[in-house]
Amino acid sequence: MPPETVISPLNDAPLILVTLGGFALRDAVGHQLLGPGKPLALLTYLAASPGRTASREHLIDLLWADVDPDRARHALRQALWQLRQALGEGCLDGKEEIHLRCDVGLDRNRFLAAVEEGDLPAALSLYGGTFVAAFASPGGAAFEHWADAERLQLQAAFLRAAELHARRLLAKGHPRDAIAVGRRIKEVDPLGQVGPRLLIEAHLA
């Protein structure tokens, strides 16, 4: 895909899963269908997983490691029921392996796709902030460890994309736009060196 190709916006999808700078499931017009909690954490993990599939046992280990197996299986069934109510029929299926079937626009996936395709303005627009910042729950330590790793990966991808975009703006003679990107870098990574350095270079340009 050439660099000028624009990644399709999230509102092209009937359901939007916000994980960068927020944590919610919304419909295409912005109404919140589901807020922070284990059902939303489960949906996020499925949406980000290869094949959008995970086993029941793995999901229990991720989110209900603090309760006995029978209660954990019941809690998982309840969470899946809540998700089906929010997503609609046919979105989740499977017995031992749970599959996410419907079209959910995950901002994390769109961001990574934009970075991969070289659409840096789209990537910067899609990165709304810290990944899944509003979730912590008893029994969910494994999910939190996964989210921590994702958080670091996504932040690093944003910083690389933002620095490259700022340098391209400077090379094209757009120091004001580069300054705006430099400020975003500084906000995301206040202890880093890249943001202040770019701000100085842009002011000197």
Side-chain angles (χ1 to χ4, degrees):
M1 184 183 295
E4 65 270 22
T5 299
V6 177
I7 302 298
S8 58
L10 285 167
N11 58 14
D12 279 359
L15 298 169
I16 300 164
L17 182 48
V18 178
T19 63
L20 298 171
F23 196 32
L25 177 68
R26 303 183 185 278
D27 63 20
V29 295
H31 297 141
Q32 182 167 304
L33 304 176
L34 205 60
K38 288 189 177 183
L40 188 61
L42 189 159
L43 177 62
T44 299
Y45 187 80
L46 283 174
S49 295
R52 303 201 301 175
T53 301
S55 71
R56 286 179 181 265
E57 289 305 312
H58 184 57
L59 293 172
I60 286 171
D61 289 341
L62 276 175
L63 291 162
W64 291 279
D66 62 331
V67 297
D68 66 73
D70 286 341
R71 287 177 59 199
R73 284 190 287 271
H74 176 73
L76 174 59
R77 287 194 296 271
Q78 287 294 106
L80 291 172
W81 180 85
Q82 286 182 259
L83 284 178
R84 289 187 176 103
Q85 295 301 303
L87 297 170
E89 289 300 319
C91 280
L92 293 171
D93 65 22
K95 294 184 178 180
E96 293 308 312
E97 295 284 327
I98 305 300
H99 304 268
L100 176 62
R101 301 294 191 189
C102 57
D103 184 13
V104 177
L106 176 57
D107 56 357
R108 174 255 192 205
N109 291 355
R110 298 289 178 94
F111 165 72
L112 290 174
V115 171
E116 179 68 20
E117 303 297 346
D119 190 346
L120 301 183
L124 270 59
S125 175
L126 286 161
Y127 189 84
T130 303
F131 177 73
V132 187
F135 178 83
S137 181
F143 177 87
E144 291 172 31
H145 291 324
W146 170 79
D148 284 341
E150 285 285 316
R151 198 170 293 129
L152 291 173
Q153 173 197 351
L154 292 163
Q155 179 178 306
F158 167 79
L159 293 173
R160 289 193 299 270
E163 180 179 5
L164 179 56
H165 185 50
R167 295 202 178 283
R168 287 178 177 174
L169 289 169
L170 282 174
K172 293 177 180 178
H174 302 297
R176 290 186 180 180
D177 293 334
I179 286 170
V181 176
R183 286 176 177 154
R184 279 203 69 193
I185 292 172
K186 190 176 179 181
E187 289 172 1
V188 171
D189 186 23
L191 300 179
Q193 300 298 316
V194 173
R197 186 170 67 245
L198 278 171
L199 287 171
I200 293 170
E201 292 177 16
H203 278 293
L204 293 174

